Amino acid sequence: MKNGSSMEKFLRRIAPQAIIVLVLSLVMVAGAVVFQYLDPVLAKQSFYEVIFFEFITISTIGYGNQYPQTLHSRIFSIFFSIIGIPLLVVTLGNFGKYLTKFYWKAYGRFYSEKTQQKLVNDIDMPGPAITLLYSFTFLFGFIFIPHSGESYSVDDWYLSFISFATVGFGDKIPEINTFGKFSMVTTYLLWGTILNIMLITYVTRWFSQLFDRKPYRGRDVEVLIGGQCITVSEITSLVAEQFHASPHQIRAMLHDIDEIMDDIKPNEEAETDQNSEIIVQ
């Protein structure tokens, strides 16, 4: 029963993401067919090169070496971007969340007592961890990613940065003249964009905490317990079911306990101070 429930919960989480990835893939394939039909220049390119052009478009990198050159393909590129950009952002953002949860679960294998108390949805991967991933990613690009600039030089770091930051000046362009290079470069850029989204989220959250903003509702926050994520709302429902009470009653009780603890704390501090005075005397 427990295994079935875990599988059902897993499918509920994975299914929406799988559907988004499937829709994005279909949009990319269909878009490539339409682009090659509407644009004679793109029609001369290989199918995977047109896919790369689409990815560069909806990721907003836009190196500028590939672009629609007919009126109809330009009009189509507008509608394609309106659909593709949100799909890609949502997809990569979700992958970033999964990567963050994987990090905390892996961390919890070694430091379970500390990790179980962390709010998985309310915190991001630590800045040093993101920086470390960035470092390894840039190192990989430095060694393996082919481009139009000088290899094993500042151009390698420069290309990675302007690509991940979606600046894409166009002075340095990755080479995708074979399917193998296309696969490696596309995967590299996808991974780098995910890290970039995670970094932006981390910095945004840091500034939010700096100004004491609370963008999330407490009941929607997830807590890692026993290697599984469960929301505060679900915990409340489970406790309510166990004691045959309503979730509202449980929340009210927790609120009362919180107030009682606040009242007890000053009294305990006062007693501690009195005991200290007695000992001194």
Side-chain angles (χ1 to χ4, degrees), residues 21-36:
V21 172
L22 178 61
V23 172
L24 178 61
S25 301
L26 293 175
V27 168
M28 295 285 285
V29 172
V33 173
V34 175
F35 271 119
Q36 287 193 316

mmCIF file with all atom_site columns, all heavy atoms in Angstrom, residues 21-36:
data_model
loop_
_atom_site.group_PDB
_atom_site.id
_atom_site.type_symbol
_atom_site.label_atom_id
_atom_site.label_alt_id
_atom_site.label_comp_id
_atom_site.label_asym_id
_atom_site.label_entity_id
_atom_site.label_seq_id
_atom_site.pdbx_PDB_ins_code
_atom_site.Cartn_x
_atom_site.Cartn_y
_atom_site.Cartn_z
_atom_site.occupancy
_atom_site.B_iso_or_equiv
_atom_site.pdbx_formal_charge
_atom_site.auth_seq_id
_atom_site.auth_comp_id
_atom_site.auth_asym_id
_atom_site.auth_atom_id
_atom_site.pdbx_PDB_model_num
ATOM 1   N N   . VAL A 1 21 ? 7.602  18.557 -21.429 1.00 0.00 ? 21 VAL A N   1
ATOM 2   C CA  . VAL A 1 21 ? 8.744  18.200 -22.280 1.00 0.00 ? 21 VAL A CA  1
ATOM 3   C C   . VAL A 1 21 ? 8.256  17.640 -23.612 1.00 0.00 ? 21 VAL A C   1
ATOM 4   O O   . VAL A 1 21 ? 8.802  17.968 -24.677 1.00 0.00 ? 21 VAL A O   1
ATOM 5   C CB  . VAL A 1 21 ? 9.651  17.182 -21.568 1.00 0.00 ? 21 VAL A CB  1
ATOM 6   C CG1 . VAL A 1 21 ? 10.723 16.657 -22.522 1.00 0.00 ? 21 VAL A CG1 1
ATOM 7   C CG2 . VAL A 1 21 ? 10.304 17.811 -20.345 1.00 0.00 ? 21 VAL A CG2 1
ATOM 8   N N   . LEU A 1 22 ? 7.220  16.808 -23.563 1.00 0.00 ? 22 LEU A N   1
ATOM 9   C CA  . LEU A 1 22 ? 6.670  16.233 -24.791 1.00 0.00 ? 22 LEU A CA  1
ATOM 10  C C   . LEU A 1 22 ? 6.098  17.323 -25.693 1.00 0.00 ? 22 LEU A C   1
ATOM 11  O O   . LEU A 1 22 ? 6.349  17.338 -26.911 1.00 0.00 ? 22 LEU A O   1
ATOM 12  C CB  . LEU A 1 22 ? 5.590  15.209 -24.446 1.00 0.00 ? 22 LEU A CB  1
ATOM 13  C CG  . LEU A 1 22 ? 4.873  14.549 -25.638 1.00 0.00 ? 22 LEU A CG  1
ATOM 14  C CD1 . LEU A 1 22 ? 5.866  13.786 -26.505 1.00 0.00 ? 22 LEU A CD1 1
ATOM 15  C CD2 . LEU A 1 22 ? 3.757  13.624 -25.151 1.00 0.00 ? 22 LEU A CD2 1
ATOM 16  N N   . VAL A 1 23 ? 5.348  18.240 -25.098 1.00 0.00 ? 23 VAL A N   1
ATOM 17  C CA  . VAL A 1 23 ? 4.768  19.341 -25.881 1.00 0.00 ? 23 VAL A CA  1
ATOM 18  C C   . VAL A 1 23 ? 5.868  20.201 -26.485 1.00 0.00 ? 23 VAL A C   1
ATOM 19  O O   . VAL A 1 23 ? 5.812  20.581 -27.663 1.00 0.00 ? 23 VAL A O   1
ATOM 20  C CB  . VAL A 1 23 ? 3.830  20.195 -24.996 1.00 0.00 ? 23 VAL A CB  1
ATOM 21  C CG1 . VAL A 1 23 ? 3.388  21.454 -25.738 1.00 0.00 ? 23 VAL A CG1 1
ATOM 22  C CG2 . VAL A 1 23 ? 2.610  19.386 -24.582 1.00 0.00 ? 23 VAL A CG2 1
ATOM 23  N N   . LEU A 1 24 ? 6.900  20.507 -25.686 1.00 0.00 ? 24 LEU A N   1
ATOM 24  C CA  . LEU A 1 24 ? 8.015  21.308 -26.188 1.00 0.00 ? 24 LEU A CA  1
ATOM 25  C C   . LEU A 1 24 ? 8.716  20.602 -27.345 1.00 0.00 ? 24 LEU A C   1
ATOM 26  O O   . LEU A 1 24 ? 9.064  21.238 -28.355 1.00 0.00 ? 24 LEU A O   1
ATOM 27  C CB  . LEU A 1 24 ? 9.004  21.585 -25.060 1.00 0.00 ? 24 LEU A CB  1
ATOM 28  C CG  . LEU A 1 24 ? 10.262 22.383 -25.434 1.00 0.00 ? 24 LEU A CG  1
ATOM 29  C CD1 . LEU A 1 24 ? 9.895  23.760 -25.969 1.00 0.00 ? 24 LEU A CD1 1
ATOM 30  C CD2 . LEU A 1 24 ? 11.198 22.507 -24.235 1.00 0.00 ? 24 LEU A CD2 1
ATOM 31  N N   . SER A 1 25 ? 8.914  19.304 -27.225 1.00 0.00 ? 25 SER A N   1
ATOM 32  C CA  . SER A 1 25 ? 9.570  18.535 -28.289 1.00 0.00 ? 25 SER A CA  1
ATOM 33  C C   . SER A 1 25 ? 8.741  18.558 -29.570 1.00 0.00 ? 25 SER A C   1
ATOM 34  O O   . SER A 1 25 ? 9.282  18.749 -30.676 1.00 0.00 ? 25 SER A O   1
ATOM 35  C CB  . SER A 1 25 ? 9.789  17.089 -27.835 1.00 0.00 ? 25 SER A CB  1
ATOM 36  O OG  . SER A 1 25 ? 10.590 17.043 -26.672 1.00 0.00 ? 25 SER A OG  1
ATOM 37  N N   . LEU A 1 26 ? 7.434  18.376 -29.425 1.00 0.00 ? 26 LEU A N   1
ATOM 38  C CA  . LEU A 1 26 ? 6.554  18.402 -30.598 1.00 0.00 ? 26 LEU A CA  1
ATOM 39  C C   . LEU A 1 26 ? 6.543  19.781 -31.252 1.00 0.00 ? 26 LEU A C   1
ATOM 40  O O   . LEU A 1 26 ? 6.544  19.902 -32.483 1.00 0.00 ? 26 LEU A O   1
ATOM 41  C CB  . LEU A 1 26 ? 5.133  17.997 -30.191 1.00 0.00 ? 26 LEU A CB  1
ATOM 42  C CG  . LEU A 1 26 ? 4.944  16.541 -29.748 1.00 0.00 ? 26 LEU A CG  1
ATOM 43  C CD1 . LEU A 1 26 ? 3.518  16.308 -29.265 1.00 0.00 ? 26 LEU A CD1 1
ATOM 44  C CD2 . LEU A 1 26 ? 5.278  15.583 -30.894 1.00 0.00 ? 26 LEU A CD2 1
ATOM 45  N N   . VAL A 1 27 ? 6.541  20.818 -30.420 1.00 0.00 ? 27 VAL A N   1
ATOM 46  C CA  . VAL A 1 27 ? 6.575  22.188 -30.950 1.00 0.00 ? 27 VAL A CA  1
ATOM 47  C C   . VAL A 1 27 ? 7.870  22.431 -31.714 1.00 0.00 ? 27 VAL A C   1
ATOM 48  O O   . VAL A 1 27 ? 7.868  23.045 -32.796 1.00 0.00 ? 27 VAL A O   1
ATOM 49  C CB  . VAL A 1 27 ? 6.420  23.210 -29.800 1.00 0.00 ? 27 VAL A CB  1
ATOM 50  C CG1 . VAL A 1 27 ? 6.740  24.626 -30.280 1.00 0.00 ? 27 VAL A CG1 1
ATOM 51  C CG2 . VAL A 1 27 ? 5.006  23.167 -29.239 1.00 0.00 ? 27 VAL A CG2 1
ATOM 52  N N   . MET A 1 28 ? 8.986  21.936 -31.182 1.00 0.00 ? 28 MET A N   1
ATOM 53  C CA  . MET A 1 28 ? 10.281 22.121 -31.842 1.00 0.00 ? 28 MET A CA  1
ATOM 54  C C   . MET A 1 28 ? 10.319 21.394 -33.187 1.00 0.00 ? 28 MET A C   1
ATOM 55  O O   . MET A 1 28 ? 10.759 21.961 -34.197 1.00 0.00 ? 28 MET A O   1
ATOM 56  C CB  . MET A 1 28 ? 11.398 21.600 -30.936 1.00 0.00 ? 28 MET A CB  1
ATOM 57  C CG  . MET A 1 28 ? 11.569 22.362 -29.638 1.00 0.00 ? 28 MET A CG  1
ATOM 58  S SD  . MET A 1 28 ? 12.350 23.969 -29.836 1.00 0.00 ? 28 MET A SD  1
ATOM 59  C CE  . MET A 1 28 ? 14.051 23.488 -30.089 1.00 0.00 ? 28 MET A CE  1
ATOM 60  N N   . VAL A 1 29 ? 9.857  20.161 -33.212 1.00 0.00 ? 29 VAL A N   1
ATOM 61  C CA  . VAL A 1 29 ? 9.882  19.378 -34.453 1.00 0.00 ? 29 VAL A CA  1
ATOM 62  C C   . VAL A 1 29 ? 8.947  19.993 -35.493 1.00 0.00 ? 29 VAL A C   1
ATOM 63  O O   . VAL A 1 29 ? 9.323  20.194 -36.661 1.00 0.00 ? 29 VAL A O   1
ATOM 64  C CB  . VAL A 1 29 ? 9.498  17.911 -34.174 1.00 0.00 ? 29 VAL A CB  1
ATOM 65  C CG1 . VAL A 1 29 ? 9.330  17.145 -35.482 1.00 0.00 ? 29 VAL A CG1 1
ATOM 66  C CG2 . VAL A 1 29 ? 10.556 17.245 -33.301 1.00 0.00 ? 29 VAL A CG2 1
ATOM 67  N N   . ALA A 1 30 ? 7.723  20.308 -35.068 1.00 0.00 ? 30 ALA A N   1
ATOM 68  C CA  . ALA A 1 30 ? 6.764  20.908 -35.996 1.00 0.00 ? 30 ALA A CA  1
ATOM 69  C C   . ALA A 1 30 ? 7.258  22.268 -36.481 1.00 0.00 ? 30 ALA A C   1
ATOM 70  O O   . ALA A 1 30 ? 7.122  22.612 -37.668 1.00 0.00 ? 30 ALA A O   1
ATOM 71  C CB  . ALA A 1 30 ? 5.404  21.051 -35.319 1.00 0.00 ? 30 ALA A CB  1
ATOM 72  N N   . GLY A 1 31 ? 7.858  23.033 -35.570 1.00 0.00 ? 31 GLY A N   1
ATOM 73  C CA  . GLY A 1 31 ? 8.378  24.344 -35.949 1.00 0.00 ? 31 GLY A CA  1
ATOM 74  C C   . GLY A 1 31 ? 9.494  24.249 -36.968 1.00 0.00 ? 31 GLY A C   1
ATOM 75  O O   . GLY A 1 31 ? 9.572  25.059 -37.900 1.00 0.00 ? 31 GLY A O   1
ATOM 76  N N   . ALA A 1 32 ? 10.368 23.254 -36.811 1.00 0.00 ? 32 ALA A N   1
ATOM 77  C CA  . ALA A 1 32 ? 11.464 23.076 -37.763 1.00 0.00 ? 32 ALA A CA  1
ATOM 78  C C   . ALA A 1 32 ? 10.932 22.759 -39.157 1.00 0.00 ? 32 ALA A C   1
ATOM 79  O O   . ALA A 1 32 ? 11.449 23.265 -40.166 1.00 0.00 ? 32 ALA A O   1
ATOM 80  C CB  . ALA A 1 32 ? 12.391 21.967 -37.278 1.00 0.00 ? 32 ALA A CB  1
ATOM 81  N N   . VAL A 1 33 ? 9.899  21.939 -39.206 1.00 0.00 ? 33 VAL A N   1
ATOM 82  C CA  . VAL A 1 33 ? 9.290  21.603 -40.500 1.00 0.00 ? 33 VAL A CA  1
ATOM 83  C C   . VAL A 1 33 ? 8.715  22.851 -41.158 1.00 0.00 ? 33 VAL A C   1
ATOM 84  O O   . VAL A 1 33 ? 8.916  23.103 -42.360 1.00 0.00 ? 33 VAL A O   1
ATOM 85  C CB  . VAL A 1 33 ? 8.194  20.533 -40.311 1.00 0.00 ? 33 VAL A CB  1
ATOM 86  C CG1 . VAL A 1 33 ? 7.436  20.310 -41.622 1.00 0.00 ? 33 VAL A CG1 1
ATOM 87  C CG2 . VAL A 1 33 ? 8.800  19.227 -39.821 1.00 0.00 ? 33 VAL A CG2 1
ATOM 88  N N   . VAL A 1 34 ? 8.015  23.659 -40.371 1.00 0.00 ? 34 VAL A N   1
ATOM 89  C CA  . VAL A 1 34 ? 7.397  24.875 -40.915 1.00 0.00 ? 34 VAL A CA  1
ATOM 90  C C   . VAL A 1 34 ? 8.461  25.879 -41.346 1.00 0.00 ? 34 VAL A C   1
ATOM 91  O O   . VAL A 1 34 ? 8.345  26.505 -42.415 1.00 0.00 ? 34 VAL A O   1
ATOM 92  C CB  . VAL A 1 34 ? 6.448  25.503 -39.869 1.00 0.00 ? 34 VAL A CB  1
ATOM 93  C CG1 . VAL A 1 34 ? 5.895  26.837 -40.386 1.00 0.00 ? 34 VAL A CG1 1
ATOM 94  C CG2 . VAL A 1 34 ? 5.309  24.551 -39.541 1.00 0.00 ? 34 VAL A CG2 1
ATOM 95  N N   . PHE A 1 35 ? 9.496  26.048 -40.536 1.00 0.00 ? 35 PHE A N   1
ATOM 96  C CA  . PHE A 1 35 ? 10.562 26.990 -40.888 1.00 0.00 ? 35 PHE A CA  1
ATOM 97  C C   . PHE A 1 35 ? 11.231 26.594 -42.204 1.00 0.00 ? 35 PHE A C   1
ATOM 98  O O   . PHE A 1 35 ? 11.505 27.449 -43.060 1.00 0.00 ? 35 PHE A O   1
ATOM 99  C CB  . PHE A 1 35 ? 11.604 27.059 -39.771 1.00 0.00 ? 35 PHE A CB  1
ATOM 100 C CG  . PHE A 1 35 ? 11.313 28.084 -38.720 1.00 0.00 ? 35 PHE A CG  1
ATOM 101 C CD1 . PHE A 1 35 ? 11.131 27.710 -37.398 1.00 0.00 ? 35 PHE A CD1 1
ATOM 102 C CD2 . PHE A 1 35 ? 11.214 29.432 -39.050 1.00 0.00 ? 35 PHE A CD2 1
ATOM 103 C CE1 . PHE A 1 35 ? 10.856 28.656 -36.419 1.00 0.00 ? 35 PHE A CE1 1
ATOM 104 C CE2 . PHE A 1 35 ? 10.940 30.389 -38.077 1.00 0.00 ? 35 PHE A CE2 1
ATOM 105 C CZ  . PHE A 1 35 ? 10.757 30.001 -36.758 1.00 0.00 ? 35 PHE A CZ  1
ATOM 106 N N   . GLN A 1 36 ? 11.498 25.315 -42.373 1.00 0.00 ? 36 GLN A N   1
ATOM 107 C CA  . GLN A 1 36 ? 12.134 24.873 -43.612 1.00 0.00 ? 36 GLN A CA  1
ATOM 108 C C   . GLN A 1 36 ? 11.190 25.008 -44.809 1.00 0.00 ? 36 GLN A C   1
ATOM 109 O O   . GLN A 1 36 ? 11.644 25.181 -45.944 1.00 0.00 ? 36 GLN A O   1
ATOM 110 C CB  . GLN A 1 36 ? 12.608 23.425 -43.470 1.00 0.00 ? 36 GLN A CB  1
ATOM 111 C CG  . GLN A 1 36 ? 13.827 23.277 -42.572 1.00 0.00 ? 36 GLN A CG  1
ATOM 112 C CD  . GLN A 1 36 ? 14.478 21.914 -42.679 1.00 0.00 ? 36 GLN A CD  1
ATOM 113 O OE1 . GLN A 1 36 ? 13.802 20.894 -42.694 1.00 0.00 ? 36 GLN A OE1 1
ATOM 114 N NE2 . GLN A 1 36 ? 15.805 21.893 -42.742 1.00 0.00 ? 36 GLN A NE2 1
#
